């Protein structure tokens, strides 16, 4: 090692090579961080060469430690520059990086499951599945599904009510999907982005009657009814009249500005049976939500099916 130089303040100063050797780094690395302004030099030699003090060694070791965590240079700079809040800034940077890694891992798992899906399907189906998958980002976005439901809801629904509805209606992609869940989500994406046959998305008659204000009450009541029905679905209970059905009928009665009577229940069953159903959507949503080999997770669609069956039984008993 070359002889160290002594500054006028009797402080040890090292050349760029000496600092690199002490830190176990390369000269190229030290020069890079110095050029980036992350590693300030203490002085220059008479020949114009950089000289660094012991503080530079500590700073270089910290920089390299932060970089091993895969923190980008701007985050490293923030941590170094904010000495008074180093702990908080570092914690924020680590949280941000962890979120980023989580997204990257989720994307890799979706790509892996998508590759398995194409590899394991019959050759005649591969082109179709590739087309479905090519329309998905990785990890996939739920934005097309949300747009589909926003167009289905009555205009001018309050934002909070719309958000509550979308939370229940839009299945979130699993972090570690099975190929069957990837296929189901891809089909949901294709279904919700396909143009409607007549260019206009159909809406249930209750939206026209209730309007935006009535729809808020309707879907708040239906959310309660669906949750009660979901409890029965999880325990494989057969449809039957009771608290869940009463909440279901009450939600529609408020929307139609009626009372819960036997006559209303009969007319409600007739109205509901005449409406278009989104059975395929809810079947696919259940696949997305349910890990393979487990009982299907309840969805608003399966809860609605259970409640409609309970309504038919109740009407038959009343008759």
């Amino acid at each position: 090692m070359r002889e160290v130089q002594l500054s006028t303040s009797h402080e040890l100063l090292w050349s760029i090579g000496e600092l690199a050797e002490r830190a176990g780094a390369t000269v190229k690395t030290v020069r890079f961080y110095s050029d980036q302004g992350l590693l300030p030099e203490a002085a220059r030699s008479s020949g114009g060469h950089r000289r660094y003090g012991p503080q530079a060694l500590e700073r270089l070791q910290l920089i390299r430690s932060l970089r091993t965590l895969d923190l980008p240079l701007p985050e490293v700079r923030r941590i170094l520059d904010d000495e008074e809040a180093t702990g908080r800034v570092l914690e924020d940077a680590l949280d941000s990086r962890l979120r980023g890694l989580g997204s990257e891992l989720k994307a890799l798992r979706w790509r892996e499951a998508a590759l398995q899906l194409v590899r394991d399907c019959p050759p005649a189906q591969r082109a179709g599945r590739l087309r479905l998958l090519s329309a998905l980002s990785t990890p996939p976005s739920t934005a097309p599904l949300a747009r589909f439901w926003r167009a289905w809801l009555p205009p001018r629904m309050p934002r909070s009510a719309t958000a509550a509805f979308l939370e229940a209606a839009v299945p979130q992609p699993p972090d570690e999907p099975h190929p069957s869940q990837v296929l189901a989500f891809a089909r949901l994406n294709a279904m919700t982005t396909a143009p409607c046959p007549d260019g206009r998305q159909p809406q249930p008659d209750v939206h026209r009657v209730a309007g935006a204000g009535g729809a808020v009450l309707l879907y708040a009541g239906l959310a309660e009814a669906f949750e009660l029905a979901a409890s029965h679905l999880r325990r494989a209970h057969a449809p039957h009249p009771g608290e869940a059905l009463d909440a279901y009928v009450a939600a529609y009665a408020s929307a139609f500005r009626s009372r819960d009577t036997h006559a209303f229940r009969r007319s409600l069953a007739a109205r509901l049976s005449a409406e278009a159903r989104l059975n395929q959507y809810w079947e696919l949503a259940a696949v997305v939500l349910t890990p393979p080999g487990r009982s299907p997770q309840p969805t608003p669609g399966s809860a609605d099916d259970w409640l409609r069956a309970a309504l038919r039984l109740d009407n038959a008993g009343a008759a």
Side-chain angles (χ1 to χ4, degrees), residues 33 61-77 79 90 92-105 108:
Y33 290 136
Q61 290 170 335
L62 176 58
I63 292 170
R64 297 186 72 206
S65 297
L66 295 171
R67 291 293 284 161
T68 61
L69 299 175
D70 205 22
L71 293 178
L73 284 179
E75 293 293 344
V76 172
R77 190 185 304 278
I79 294 167
L90 176 57
D92 291 345
L94 292 175
D95 286 343
S96 175
R97 187 61 191 133
L98 283 170
R99 287 192 296 271
L101 283 174
S103 296
E104 293 171 22
L105 287 171
L108 287 172

Side-chain angles (χ1 to χ4, degrees), residues 17-179:
E18 291 166 338
L19 176 60
E21 184 176 350
R22 288 174 180 270
T26 65
V27 170
K28 182 179 179 180
T29 297
V30 176
R31 183 175 290 113
F32 172 77
Y33 290 136
S34 186
D35 290 343
Q36 292 294 317
L38 297 176
L39 196 63
E41 59 199 51
R44 289 268 179 163
S45 70
S46 57
H49 298 294
R50 297 167 177 171
R51 293 292 183 262
Y52 300 91
Q55 294 84 357
L57 177 60
E58 295 178 7
R59 191 174 177 94
L60 178 57
Q61 290 170 335
L62 176 58
I63 292 170
R64 297 186 72 206
S65 297
L66 295 171
R67 291 293 284 161
T68 61
L69 299 175
D70 205 22
L71 293 178
L73 284 179
E75 293 293 344
V76 172
R77 190 185 304 278
R78 285 182 59 227
I79 294 167
L80 295 174
D81 291 346
D82 197 347
E83 295 181 0
E84 295 183 359
T86 296
R88 176 181 55 78
V89 175
L90 176 57
E91 185 175 341
D92 291 345
L94 292 175
D95 286 343
S96 175
R97 187 61 191 133
L98 283 170
R99 287 192 296 271
L101 283 174
S103 296
E104 293 171 22
L105 287 171
K106 185 174 180 179
L108 287 172
R109 293 184 186 114
W110 271 83
R111 290 193 186 105
E112 180 184 33
L115 288 170
Q116 292 173 350
L117 175 66
V118 176
R119 180 198 63 189
D120 297 340
C121 77
Q125 297 179 12
R126 284 177 180 161
R129 291 195 174 179
L130 285 170
R131 282 194 297 271
L132 277 174
L133 295 171
S134 67
L136 288 181
S137 58
T138 49
S141 171
T142 58
L145 281 64
R147 283 195 296 269
F148 171 85
W149 285 112
R150 285 194 179 96
W152 185 83
L153 289 169
R156 296 180 296 280
M157 273 268 288
R159 183 176 299 178
S160 58
T162 300
F165 179 91
L166 293 177
E167 184 177 357
V170 176
Q172 294 302 310
D175 290 342
E176 300 184 22
H178 184 270

Side-chain angles (χ1 to χ4, degrees), residues 239-262:
H240 60 271
E243 183 183 9
L245 178 60
D246 291 345
Y248 184 70
V249 174
Y252 278 103
S254 66
F256 286 114
R257 300 176 181 83
S258 181
R259 292 184 302 108
D260 181 359
T261 64
H262 291 308

Side-chain angles (χ1 to χ4, degrees), residues 212-266:
V216 173
L217 298 176
L218 169 67
Y219 288 113
L222 288 180
E224 178 186 356
F226 289 164
E227 184 58 37
L228 292 169
S231 176
H232 293 296
L233 285 165
R234 293 188 186 98
R235 290 177 284 179
H237 290 171
H240 60 271
E243 183 183 9
L245 178 60
D246 291 345
Y248 184 70
V249 174
Y252 278 103
S254 66
F256 286 114
R257 300 176 181 83
S258 181
R259 292 184 302 108
D260 181 359
T261 64
H262 291 308
F264 177 77
R265 292 194 175 206
R266 288 194 297 272

